[in-house]
Structures are given as structure tokens and as C-alpha cells.
Amino acid sequence: MNYTTQMDAAKKGIITPEMEIVAKKENITAEELRERVARGSVAIPANKMHKAISPEGVGEGLKTKINVNLGISKDCTDYSIEWEKVKMAVDMKAEAIMDLSCYGKTHEFRQKLIDECPAMIGTVPMYDAVGYLDKELADITADEFLEVIEAHAKEGVDFMTIHAGINRRTAQIFKESGGRLTNIVSRGGSLIFAWMEMTGNENPFYEYYDKVLDILAKYDVTISLGDACRPGSTHDSTDASQITELIELGILTKRAWEKNVQVMVEGPGHMTIDEIAANMKLEKRLCHNAPFYVLGPLVTDIAPGYDHITSAIGGAIAAANGADFLCYVTPAEHLRLPNADDVKEGIVAAKIAAHAADMAKGVPGARDIDNKMSDARRRVCWDEMFQYAIEPEKPQRYYNELPPEEKHTCSMCGKMCAARTMNKILAGEKVDVK
């Protein structure tokens, strides 16, 4: 193999096996895909050590992908529960899983993910640092932070969130600009900010960014440039802190590409509907059309228990205007660790948002399954309708809870079903409604 990363291969004119697989999934030519990977508008996160992966592409002209967050916390240490969520995510065809475990020795669970899971695997090494090193935050050294990154890379993690944009300069702007209602809501970003404040040192991921990139390039890990200053409320969106950090992330994107490290850029957060399109275009401009990975955006702050819906609304708008990768949000957001039912609801909501956006932006083949569903509805063919559904179990259960008197109707309209009426009358049959 005479290349180090997917980007390195693409720049050399080499079409890799991973590119072949992704091109087939996306209904485009391998050469079209190679060109996009070469210029950085598409990333194929696929660590050389992740042998179980089914490669996916994220970025320009491709289907919108979704990510599922899960992992252990101090208040929930049962890995078997998290593994059930993993199986659900894979069964429901989520393209990525992020292990956000932040308590104890997480290696065993992460290694099982990499050994068995076909989805892209992501981590946030900053979360794992405290447990991995068994030290207080202020006592962790820059070298030790890099040690955790290398440990995750060696294990086979495909992409890592690295909060390199919250350096001393952007942190100072955050403090000077003021006016935020929710401060820094990024868990990793807040820890880095606290570490800089307690130690007086520069962000180690920024200060030693070249060393970080060397580690990632060695294993072909995609860097997901974390947005420490993403807005955690609609009040804080598109403010000086968010935009200043975004400018830094654009600079860091080019530096990564110079070392043939693939890049994704992370974005908001909470944001009102009228700001979303402009933010997507701003990221693409400032970050040189790198793939954009967004959490939501959540379009209102007052729906705890229903934030999978606020996120799906924002995610659909974001993806239709250029976002490439949606991080799911569950009904448990802001409240607790999600259970299996929450995870399912979050995945379905994110998939709806992603698919709606793909139709809006004309992704090849995106509309085909909707046309099949519509044709099945015209024919009142329930088995086909369930087959084409994003999640078949719920619609099938709903239908069977109150079965109609006549099979080719539902209990809402019965014999007055519009589809039944039209099918009969156009076939020259008498329409009976009694």
C-alpha cells in the first residue's frame, strides 16, 4: 500500500477499496468520489485497524449520515445496557456510533465496538482522559493527553473529536465578549477551558496540533474538529465566541489537509430556524467546504423530553442547506442518560431529518423509496408500506391495534378511504361505502 490515508491516496490518483465501496453505496463513480476526498469535501473515516467496518463517506453530494452517541457514565456503569443500544443502532442502519464513555477503564467496551461493529466509531479522547489516566484534570500533562489520542487510534477508532479551536486567543474572546446565557456547553470544550484556566497553559491539542495530526495520519483517523463554543441556547447562537472559534477551525482544517488527515468540522448546537441556513453556508466558506457535523441544531430551548423533535426540525433544515452529518438527539437530552427506547426515538428522528434533507438537495436515488411508498399507498398494500417505512415495527403495530373491517382500508376511513374509492371508480367498479 503506497499511501498513508484515504486523502493521501486520493491526491495521488489512487482509488482505494474503501472508495469503491462508498461510491457504490452513493450511486456515483469512484473517480468522482476520489476527487472529493482529494480536496477534502468528502471524508471516509476508516481506521486501518478497524477491520469490521463497512466504509461510509461523509460530505459533498453524498447521503446525509447520522451518528448515535452512547457510553458509560459514573451513574450508569452497565456495559451490557450500552451494548444493546449498539445492536439497535446497527440494526437501524446508523452510519456512526460515538463512544462517549467517561468513567472507569473504557478500553474493553471500545475494543468490542471496533472488533464487531460495521459502523464508523468515534470517540472524544478528552472524556476518557480522566478515567484512563486516573488523575485530576489539572494534573494531566500535555503529553498524557496525546497518549490517550494514540491509545484510541491504535485500537481502531475511525474519527475523534478534538477540541483544538478553543485556544488561549478564542478563550479570551469568550471571556471578553460576555453576554452568553449558557457559557460553554461542550463537555470537552469546558474541560479544556478549565484546564487552561487552572494551569495557565495553552490548549495542548492546539499547541501540539502537528503531533496530534501525525498520530492521526499514522492510523488514518479522521479529525472531527470540536466546537467548544457551540451555542447551548438560542440566545447564544452566531455570537462572537462561536464565529471566532469557527475561523480557527478553518485554519486548523487546512493544516490537517496538508498532512493528509481527513477532516470533519463540528457545529451548533441551539439555533433559531432563521439562522440555520446562513450558518451552514458560513461554515462551508470558512472551513473550505469540509464536511459539516452538527448536533441538531435544536430550534427551541423549551422542549425537554421532546428534543429529538426540536433537533429533527433543525437537522432537516441544516442538512438541506449543506450539513453532511447529523448527531442524533434523544428525548432524554438535557435530562439523563438515554435508555434503549430513547435511543430508538432519537435514531428515527435523525433518520427522518437526514432523508428529508437528501430529497431536498437532490441526492441521487434519495426519492426512490418515497415513490415506492406512495405507489404502495395508492394500491393500499400494507405489507409493502411497512417494508418501506424508516422503522417498520411502529406503523405495523399501530395498524394492528385497531384492524379495519375491510383489509384494503384502515380504521380511520374504512370504506370511505380515498385510495379505495379511486381504485374502484377508475377500474369501472361500483363504490360501496356502507
Side-chain angles (χ1 to χ4, degrees), residues 51-232:
K51 306 302 183 185
I53 194 171
S54 177
E56 297 285 353
V58 180
E60 180 189 358
L62 308 186
K63 292 190 286 287
T64 306
K65 307 305 186 296
I66 71 162
N67 171 69
V68 171
N69 288 341
L70 44 78
I72 294 303
S73 71
K74 191 171 184 179
D75 293 311
C76 186
T77 58
D78 189 341
Y79 280 111
S80 66
I81 293 175
E82 295 309 290
W83 192 252
E84 288 304 310
K85 298 176 189 176
V86 170
K87 290 193 288 186
M88 179 186 293
V90 172
D91 289 344
M92 295 183 72
K93 297 181 172 55
E95 290 88 4
I97 294 172
M98 286 199 82
D99 175 18
L100 305 187
S101 296
C102 59
Y103 179 76
K105 303 300 182 185
T106 60
H107 163 78
E108 184 177 340
F109 179 69
R110 189 164 54 251
Q111 195 63 63
K112 183 176 173 66
L113 265 177
I114 293 158
D115 289 344
E116 300 182 21
C117 189
M120 300 179 283
I121 304 301
T123 59
V124 187
M126 186 70 205
Y127 295 178
D128 193 33
V130 175
Y132 179 88
L133 298 166
D134 197 21
K135 297 174 74 171
E136 287 294 337
L137 179 63
D139 297 330
I140 300 174
T141 67
D143 285 343
E144 286 172 328
F145 280 125
L146 299 187
E147 177 186 323
V148 177
I149 290 175
E150 181 134 32
H152 284 212
K154 280 183 178 179
E155 288 168 358
V157 169
D158 302 299
F159 66 100
M160 293 185 204
T161 294
I162 307 289
H163 295 91
I166 181 71
N167 54 29
R168 296 288 291 274
R169 180 168 57 248
T170 52
Q172 189 61 33
I173 289 173
F174 165 77
K175 289 188 285 187
E176 289 178 357
S177 58
R180 277 201 161 192
L181 284 178
T182 48
N183 292 319
I184 290 175
V185 299
S186 159
R187 192 190 332 178
S190 67
L191 291 171
I192 284 290
F193 181 85
W195 186 87
M196 289 192 293
E197 291 291 297
M198 288 188 292
T199 65
N201 295 330
E202 178 59 276
N203 177 350
F205 302 130
Y206 178 78
E207 184 174 6
Y208 301 105
Y209 189 59
D210 285 333
K211 289 185 177 181
V212 171
L213 295 176
D214 288 341
I215 294 169
L216 301 183
K218 182 178 178 182
Y219 299 93
D220 198 2
V221 178
T222 298
I223 188 168
S224 189
L225 287 167
D227 54 338
C229 295
R230 70 172 180 264

Side-chain angles (χ1 to χ4, degrees), residues 355-387:
H355 182 67
D358 288 348
M359 287 199 294
K361 58 188 178 185
V363 169
R367 196 180 289 268
D368 292 353
I369 195 164
D370 291 76
N371 292 340
K372 290 179 180 179
M373 174 67 88
S374 297
D375 182 63
R377 281 181 171 151
R378 176 184 56 79
R379 293 181 286 109
V380 201
C381 183
W382 293 105
D383 289 341
E384 285 188 40
M385 285 186 255
F386 300 144
Q387 175 187 340

Side-chain angles (χ1 to χ4, degrees), residues 247-411:
I247 293 168
E248 291 288 344
L249 298 184
I251 296 168
L252 294 171
T253 295
K254 293 194 79 172
R255 286 177 60 186
W257 287 343
E258 287 167 4
K259 286 181 172 280
N260 292 319
V261 173
Q262 300 182 99
V263 177
M264 298 187 293
V265 177
E266 299 185 12
H270 292 234
M271 184 168 287
T272 55
I273 285 173
D274 60 308
E275 294 184 57
I276 294 173
N279 267 264
M280 299 307 106
K281 289 175 172 56
L282 191 61
E283 183 277 342
K284 290 289 183 176
R285 180 66 178 269
L286 292 177
C287 297
H288 320 291
N289 208 34
F292 201 15
Y293 174 24
V294 297
L295 178 70
L298 280 66
V299 295
T300 180
D301 305 318
I302 61 168
Y306 300 92
D307 275 327
H308 59 309
I309 298 174
T310 65
S311 172
I313 294 168
I317 298 168
N321 285 279
D324 307 290
F325 195 17
L326 303 180
C327 186
Y328 90 149
V329 172
T330 77
E333 183 77 7
H334 301 114
L335 301 171
R336 60 161 167 76
L337 191 74
N339 62 28
D341 289 339
D342 299 326
V343 168
K344 184 176 182 178
E345 290 293 314
I347 292 172
V348 171
K351 286 177 73 72
I352 292 169
H355 182 67
D358 288 348
M359 287 199 294
K361 58 188 178 185
V363 169
R367 196 180 289 268
D368 292 353
I369 195 164
D370 291 76
N371 292 340
K372 290 179 180 179
M373 174 67 88
S374 297
D375 182 63
R377 281 181 171 151
R378 176 184 56 79
R379 293 181 286 109
V380 201
C381 183
W382 293 105
D383 289 341
E384 285 188 40
M385 285 186 255
F386 300 144
Q387 175 187 340
Y388 300 139
I390 280 179
E391 191 282 297
E393 185 276 330
K394 187 174 183 178
Q396 194 160 7
R397 173 165 49 86
Y398 273 33
Y399 178 80
N400 290 328
E401 281 176 355
L402 189 57
E405 180 183 355
E406 184 168 321
K407 181 181 179 182
H408 291 291
T409 66
C410 77
S411 54

